mmCIF file of all heavy atoms in Angstrom:
data_model
loop_
_atom_site.group_PDB
_atom_site.id
_atom_site.type_symbol
_atom_site.label_atom_id
_atom_site.label_comp_id
_atom_site.label_asym_id
_atom_site.label_seq_id
_atom_site.Cartn_x
_atom_site.Cartn_y
_atom_site.Cartn_z
ATOM 1 N N PHE A 1338 -11.792 25.148 -46.539
ATOM 2 C CA PHE A 1338 -11.747 23.800 -46.163
ATOM 3 C C PHE A 1338 -12.725 22.921 -46.900
ATOM 4 O O PHE A 1338 -14.005 23.366 -46.932
ATOM 5 C CB PHE A 1338 -11.915 23.627 -44.692
ATOM 6 C CG PHE A 1338 -11.801 22.175 -44.151
ATOM 7 C CD1 PHE A 1338 -10.606 21.575 -44.167
ATOM 8 C CD2 PHE A 1338 -12.909 21.474 -43.732
ATOM 9 C CE1 PHE A 1338 -10.469 20.219 -43.740
ATOM 10 C CE2 PHE A 1338 -12.833 20.127 -43.342
ATOM 11 C CZ PHE A 1338 -11.652 19.488 -43.242
ATOM 12 N N SER A 1339 -12.359 21.809 -47.578
ATOM 13 C CA SER A 1339 -13.291 21.054 -48.231
ATOM 14 C C SER A 1339 -13.867 19.924 -47.457
ATOM 15 O O SER A 1339 -13.111 18.961 -46.870
ATOM 16 C CB SER A 1339 -12.646 20.337 -49.537
ATOM 17 O OG SER A 1339 -13.364 19.473 -50.092
ATOM 18 N N LEU A 1340 -15.113 19.977 -47.179
ATOM 19 C CA LEU A 1340 -15.811 18.992 -46.314
ATOM 20 C C LEU A 1340 -15.787 17.676 -46.903
ATOM 21 O O LEU A 1340 -15.780 16.625 -46.347
ATOM 22 C CB LEU A 1340 -17.208 19.536 -45.965
ATOM 23 C CG LEU A 1340 -17.938 18.657 -44.996
ATOM 24 C CD1 LEU A 1340 -17.308 18.692 -43.633
ATOM 25 C CD2 LEU A 1340 -19.267 19.218 -44.921
ATOM 26 N N GLN A 1341 -15.818 17.586 -48.252
ATOM 27 C CA GLN A 1341 -15.933 16.306 -49.012
ATOM 28 C C GLN A 1341 -14.621 15.471 -48.772
ATOM 29 O O GLN A 1341 -14.643 14.288 -48.507
ATOM 30 C CB GLN A 1341 -16.036 16.568 -50.540
ATOM 31 C CG GLN A 1341 -16.276 15.355 -51.353
ATOM 32 C CD GLN A 1341 -17.644 14.751 -51.052
ATOM 33 O OE1 GLN A 1341 -18.528 15.448 -50.642
ATOM 34 N NE2 GLN A 1341 -17.817 13.484 -51.176
ATOM 35 N N PHE A 1342 -13.422 16.125 -48.939
ATOM 36 C CA PHE A 1342 -12.147 15.395 -48.536
ATOM 37 C C PHE A 1342 -12.102 15.006 -46.990
ATOM 38 O O PHE A 1342 -11.577 13.894 -46.856
ATOM 39 C CB PHE A 1342 -11.026 16.403 -48.867
ATOM 40 C CG PHE A 1342 -10.754 16.435 -50.263
ATOM 41 C CD1 PHE A 1342 -10.763 17.948 -50.880
ATOM 42 C CD2 PHE A 1342 -10.474 15.402 -51.134
ATOM 43 C CE1 PHE A 1342 -10.556 17.970 -52.215
ATOM 44 C CE2 PHE A 1342 -10.302 15.684 -52.437
ATOM 45 C CZ PHE A 1342 -10.403 16.958 -53.045
ATOM 46 N N PHE A 1343 -12.774 15.695 -46.090
ATOM 47 C CA PHE A 1343 -12.721 15.341 -44.801
ATOM 48 C C PHE A 1343 -13.516 14.074 -44.560
ATOM 49 O O PHE A 1343 -13.178 13.200 -43.877
ATOM 50 C CB PHE A 1343 -13.409 16.542 -43.935
ATOM 51 C CG PHE A 1343 -13.539 16.171 -42.539
ATOM 52 C CD1 PHE A 1343 -12.343 16.009 -41.543
ATOM 53 C CD2 PHE A 1343 -14.792 15.879 -41.942
ATOM 54 C CE1 PHE A 1343 -12.630 15.633 -40.335
ATOM 55 C CE2 PHE A 1343 -14.945 15.493 -40.646
ATOM 56 C CZ PHE A 1343 -13.953 15.469 -39.855
ATOM 57 N N LEU A 1344 -14.729 14.124 -45.372
ATOM 58 C CA LEU A 1344 -15.569 12.825 -45.253
ATOM 59 C C LEU A 1344 -14.848 11.614 -45.828
ATOM 60 O O LEU A 1344 -15.001 10.553 -45.193
ATOM 61 C CB LEU A 1344 -16.953 13.148 -45.917
ATOM 62 C CG LEU A 1344 -17.813 14.058 -45.196
ATOM 63 C CD1 LEU A 1344 -19.007 14.412 -46.102
ATOM 64 C CD2 LEU A 1344 -18.234 13.539 -43.980
ATOM 65 N N ILE A 1345 -14.169 11.835 -46.925
ATOM 66 C CA ILE A 1345 -13.360 10.741 -47.486
ATOM 67 C C ILE A 1345 -12.306 10.256 -46.524
ATOM 68 O O ILE A 1345 -12.114 8.968 -46.372
ATOM 69 C CB ILE A 1345 -12.835 11.079 -48.805
ATOM 70 C CG1 ILE A 1345 -13.977 11.406 -49.848
ATOM 71 C CG2 ILE A 1345 -11.977 10.044 -49.361
ATOM 72 C CD1 ILE A 1345 -14.944 10.287 -50.133
#
Side-chain angles (χ1 to χ4, degrees):
F1338 182 72
S1339 173
L1340 189 61
Q1341 190 68 29
F1342 288 120
F1343 175 74
L1344 289 174
I1345 296 298

